[in-house]
Structures are given as C-alpha cells and as structure tokens.
Amino acid sequence: MDVTTDHPVNSLGFAKPPAETRVVVAMSGGVDSSVVAAKLADEGYDVVGVTLQLYDHGAALAKKGACCAGIDIHDARRVAEEKGFPHYVLDYENIFQDAVIDEFADSYLAGATPVPCIRCNERVKFKDLLETAKDLDADCMATGHYIQRKMGANGAELHSAADARRDQSYFLFSTTPEQLDYLRFPLGHLPDKDATRALASEYGLAVADKPDSQDICFVPNGDYASVIEKLRPGAAEPGEIVDHTGRVLGQHNGVIHYTIGQRRGLGIGGLEEPLYVVKLDVDAKQVIVGPKSMLATRVVPVREINWLGDKPLTSQSEWHLSVKVRSTRPPREAILRPLSDTTAEVELLTPEEGVSPGQACVFYESEGSRIFGGGWIWKS
C-alpha cells in the first residue's frame, strides 16, 4: 500500500487520489469486467483496459457462450471508447496454447478431467497479464471475478463471493499471496448478478443484457471429444468396456468420449444393477465400469498445493477445514494432512462420488468465507 502522502486511502487501497492511481482492468468483453472498468473510470481512476486474444478467432467471431472471442474484443473496445480510457488487445495465442490447451489435451487423454480455466487464471491472466500490468506502471490489476479480497492481520486474504451462486473461488485457488497483493475484485461483494447488470445499465453499457459465457472458450458447445480429436489425431481409438473384474461387457469408440461417474450412453444395458464409469485406462484403451459404490472416495491425494494460510502448511500435522472437489458442489468437511509443502492427503469425512484426477481440491474455512488455497487431485 502506498502511504507516501497524507491523502485518505481510496477504494482500491492506495493513499492517493484515484486520478493518480493506475489500474489495469482485464476485459473479456462480458458484462462483469465491463462493469468493473466503467465503475473505476467513473470513480476517476486512471484505467487501462486490456483484452487477451487467446486463440484463433476465424471460427469464433460469431460464436456465443464463450469468453475472449472476436465479438468480445469488439465489445470491450466499445466500452473503453464510451468511457474514454485506453484499451489494448494482446496476442497471447502461443502462450495460451503452451500453458493451457496442450496440457488440457494431454490431461484429458490420460483419463483425467481437467479444468483449463484454473490454468488460464494461474498461467496466463495472473502471470503474464499481471506482469504486463506492472510494465504499464499500474498500481494494481482488477478483474470481474466473483471473489473477495479482504485485508487480514497478515495481509491480503482470499474470501468467497457474497453470492454463493456466482462464487468463483474454485477457479482461483492457485492465486499466490504475491498476486493477491496486486489484484482487486470489485464485484465480489455484490449480492447477485442482477446487481451487476443494474450497474451496467446505470453506466449505459451496451453489454448490460449480454448472456454469460457458458463453455470453456476453446471448447464449442462443451464438446470436449471433438476438440481433443483435432488437437491429438488418432486419440479416439476404439477399445473394450470391461467391469472391475476384467470381464468384457462391450465396445467403445474412444476413451475420450467418457468421464468418471458417467452412467448414460454406455450401451451395455440388460444388467442387474446400473453401472458407472469408475476408471479410464488410456494405455489399455479400456473403459472400466462398476457399481455406484465404487465411485465413493474418502481419501484424496493432492499435489501442487498453493497454501494461503497464515502459518506454513507443514506447521500442523492436521488441518480441519472444508473442501470442494468439484466446482458445482458445496464445501464438505475434511481433514488435510500435509506430506510436504506442496503435497497432502485429504480425508473426506463423508465420502464423495466421482472424485476425478485432473480436478482441483480447494480448501475453505469451515466456519467462514476464507479460502486457504488448494491443489490438484492426481490419482483416484
């Protein structure tokens, strides 16, 4: 925090006038980041809008339901023009390919269920874009994410959004303390998305009624398999569907078409009990199925942990907290047992179904809103 003057602290936490406080706003072209930029511009901050071009827009110009497509760059630029602040488009296609898309394909082919939006925040937006913001001499970088940054006794803390339905903490667990010092999330305290859209109308933004993005930006209509086939030709090779004893029950047309916990579309009806996908063996080209009870997991191995607690992760043999093992599920009580600074075992007090390698395991304060970081589930 800049305390070189006697000026009162502004809304972004700096002891100087807004006009002397430069803030880079990461603008996807959607209503959330547009409202952040318009709000800060109206408050008199020195706003610089930046939009990332993350993949080839040739086929994406008219595509709806994904962020960072061509139409979104146009929308972001329009907000900047109307509000009178500079706007830049940065070509991050190569970085995005190397840091996000390639790992997504390899992880998916290894039978995992990857979450590329987390890697994009971690490796692109909060790494390269954040460094660009510093190169522009910005005091901080603001985004439209629904999450809260609060000052605690030991510095900036990450907290869930006020609106649990919009909370994006699962996708931001890998934010480091250093990044958190520099980041700002002006929407995290809002009660709901309607409040954001009301602000967009108040600021006269054309994107006020723009639909939210639904898909992963480079996966049209949620069709993972077709994207993987383009990225890794030959990946959709046929093989056997077997039960947990190895008995062949049928054939499949590619492991990439299946996910852990899937029940429908297996084509192996006529059995006494419903069967679910419990494992994917890419090397053997096998889809392994079993009863629902085989999906229940109590102990979850986690690695690449980003810890946001006040004391070191290994300072205690056990941490009693709550965890999310999928973005759509509420936090559940658990015991975190550190194995090193970056690895741990998480014991779920109530077993969860469909815990899948490639997903994140995010740590939450049991009685409160604070996020203590998280890690990656690496085996089932």
Side-chain angles (χ1 to χ4, degrees):
M1 185 183 292
D2 185 345
V3 290
T4 56
T5 73
D6 294 327
H7 194 280
V9 174
N10 62 35
S11 64
L12 292 177
F14 299 95
K16 54 185 177 180
E20 296 175 17
T21 305
R22 177 169 293 174
V23 51
V24 162
V25 179
M27 299 183 70
S28 68
V31 64
D32 299 326
S33 56
S34 296
V35 164
V36 168
K39 180 178 190 293
L40 295 174
D42 269 28
E43 290 175 9
Y45 286 98
D46 178 8
V47 172
V48 178
V50 176
T51 301
L52 303 183
Q53 180 170 314
L54 297 178
Y55 61 98
D56 181 6
H57 294 122
L61 283 170
K63 181 185 155 214
K64 295 179 180 177
C67 68
C68 310
I71 192 84
D72 296 319
I73 290 174
H74 168 78
D75 286 343
R77 182 178 290 129
R78 183 174 171 183
V79 170
E81 287 174 355
E82 290 175 355
K83 291 299 174 183
F85 59 82
H87 175 256
Y88 301 98
V89 178
L90 303 182
D91 183 352
Y92 273 33
E93 282 189 32
N94 290 340
I95 293 171
F96 190 66
Q97 181 77 40
D98 294 343
V100 180
I101 294 181
D102 285 341
E103 183 190 73
F104 167 83
D106 294 339
S107 177
Y108 203 90
L109 285 175
T113 308
V115 192
C117 300
I118 297 176
R119 289 302 197 194
C120 182
N121 288 326
E122 174 188 325
R123 297 176 173 176
V124 181
K125 292 175 182 173
F126 291 176
K127 182 173 177 281
D128 295 284
L129 178 56
L130 194 141
E131 289 305 316
T132 298
K134 290 181 177 178
D135 290 342
L136 291 169
D137 291 326
D139 294 284
C140 62
M141 185 172 94
T143 79
H145 288 108
Y146 286 88
I147 195 164
Q148 297 188 81
R149 173 189 184 274
K150 298 182 178 181
M151 292 306 295
N154 295 288
E157 300 174 352
L158 205 58
H159 287 256
S160 300
D163 181 1
R165 294 167 300 174
R166 308 296 308 181
D167 178 62
Q168 291 176 289
S169 57
Y170 185 85
F171 301 100
L172 297 168
F173 80 83
S174 60
T175 306
T176 66
E178 295 76 25
Q179 291 167 342
L180 197 53
D181 281 342
Y182 195 69
L183 289 163
R184 301 293 186 272
F185 308 108
L187 302 184
H189 68 286
L190 295 180
D192 52 36
K193 185 62 177 258
D194 289 342
T196 306
R197 293 196 184 279
L199 284 173
S201 297
E202 184 182 317
Y203 297 130
L205 303 181
V207 295
D209 297 319
K210 186 174 180 177
D212 291 339
S213 59
Q214 299 295 332
D215 301 325
I216 295 168
C217 65
F218 59 92
V219 184
N221 307 316
D223 188 355
Y224 286 47
S226 65
V227 172
I228 300 295
E229 287 185 69
K230 287 178 184 175
L231 293 169
R232 301 288 186 270
E237 295 180 12
E240 297 173 335
I241 299 176
V242 303
D243 68 12
H244 57 285
T245 67
R247 181 167 59 109
V248 178
L249 301 177
Q251 304 294 313
H252 65 77
N253 60 349
V255 170
I256 62 171
H257 297 289
Y258 299 84
T259 56
I260 304 293
Q262 180 178 333
R263 176 187 170 189
R264 300 185 184 280
L266 301 180
I268 50 172
L271 300 166
E272 289 183 8
E273 63 177 332
L275 294 180
Y276 299 77
V277 176
V278 297
K279 187 178 179 183
L280 300 172
D281 188 331
V282 177
D283 294 332
K285 300 187 179 71
Q286 286 186 334
V287 173
I288 298 104
V289 297
K292 191 174 185 179
S293 58
M294 290 186 68
L295 287 171
T297 300
R298 182 176 288 277
V299 178
V300 182
V302 180
R303 63 185 176 186
E304 290 183 66
I305 289 174
N306 177 55
W307 179 247
L308 295 175
D310 294 331
K311 296 190 296 182
L313 175 63
T314 53
S315 65
Q316 293 180 201
S317 60
E318 291 187 351
W319 296 85
H320 291 256
L321 33 70
S322 295
V323 302
K324 269 190 184 187
V325 291
R326 280 189 184 270
S327 63
T328 53
R329 295 183 184 173
R332 302 284 178 84
E333 284 189 74
I335 300 171
L336 171 67
R337 296 188 175 95
L339 302 174
S340 73
D341 288 337
T342 57
T343 60
E345 277 191 349
V346 174
E347 180 185 351
L348 305 172
L349 299 193
T350 303
E352 286 257 10
E353 294 176 356
V355 176
S356 176
Q359 295 280 320
C361 179
V362 181
F363 314 144
Y364 295 82
E365 185 178 21
S366 289
E367 300 293 332
S369 60
R370 189 172 176 187
I371 295 131
F372 290 119
W376 294 94
I377 301 167
W378 66 280
K379 61 183 179 182
S380 54

